[in-house]
Amino acid sequence: MKVAISSAGVDLSSQVDPRFGRCQYFIIVDPETKEFEAVANPNISASGGAGIQSAQLVAGKDIKAVLTGNCGPNAFTTLQAAGVEVITGVAGKVEDAIEQYKQGQLQATNKPTVEEKSGINQINMSSGQGPGAGMGKGGGRGMGRGMGGGRGQGGRRF
C-alpha cells in the first residue's frame, strides 16, 4: 500500500506542500518500509486544470491515500472517483506526516478544502464591457454607456 504526499522537496525530510494540484513534488511512499520515490509535478505551472491533472498523475501510481494541506473540488472529485482517500490539513515534514498516518492520527476529508479556481495564477478574464465609454481618444470597443469606467481597447490613430 502506498500513499502520496504533496511535498516542497524530494525527500522525507522535506516540508509538506500545502497545495495539492500545484505542489512542487509528490512523494510516493510505502508507509511500512519507507521506500519512496519523488515525482516532480509537471502541472505546477499549468494555466488551468492543475488539480485534475495532478490527481490523475497520482491515481495512476496505484496509491491508497493522498496527504496534503489543501485539495480543490476538481482534484478531490477526481481522486474520489479513482478510489483514493484524501486527507487534508497535513503540515510539517513528510516523514512526520507518514508517522501520523501510520498511527491513525489523520482522518479522511469528506469535501474539498478550497474553492473552485483558487490556483496561484488566476486572472480575471472579463471582457471589459463595463458601464463606461472610456475617456481615451482611440477607437475603443467598450460597450458601456456611463461616465468613463470602460476599458476600451482601441489605439489612437494619427
Side-chain angles (χ1 to χ4, degrees):
M1 167 200 64
K2 296 184 283 184
V3 297
I5 301 140
S6 59
S7 175
V10 296
D11 57 32
L12 301 181
S13 65
S14 301
Q15 291 292 311
V16 173
D17 194 319
R19 305 162 298 175
F20 172 75
R22 295 184 188 277
C23 69
Q24 293 180 14
Y25 297 93
F26 293 105
I27 303 289
I28 312 295
V29 63
D30 179 330
E32 298 304 319
T33 65
K34 301 259 176 111
E35 288 184 42
F36 73 95
E37 74 172 300
V39 178
N41 184 0
N43 309 304
I44 193 168
S45 298
S47 61
I52 293 172
Q53 293 173 44
S54 294
Q56 291 170 338
L57 171 74
V58 168
K61 297 285 186 181
D62 193 33
I63 61 158
K64 179 182 179 189
V66 164
L67 311 180
T68 188
N70 290 294
C71 186
N74 294 333
F76 185 83
T77 301
T78 303
L79 290 166
Q80 275 199 323
V84 177
E85 184 177 51
V86 180
I87 299 172
T88 58
V90 180
K93 290 185 178 182
V94 169
E95 59 195 349
D96 296 337
I98 295 166
E99 280 304 310
Q100 291 171 350
Y101 177 77
K102 276 177 55 175
Q103 294 180 13
Q105 296 173 353
L106 302 175
Q107 301 300 317
T109 305
N110 62 4
K111 63 181 181 175
T113 56
V114 294
E115 295 177 16
E116 236 178 287
K117 302 213 183 256
S118 63
I120 61 173
N121 293 325
Q122 288 302 313
I123 300 171
N124 183 357
M125 299 298 285
S126 63
S127 64
Q129 297 178 0
M135 296 301 285
K137 296 187 190 246
R141 294 183 213 129
M143 301 295 287
R145 296 188 181 117
M147 296 299 292
R151 303 278 190 262
Q153 296 180 355
R156 187 173 182 176
R157 301 202 195 280
F158 293 95

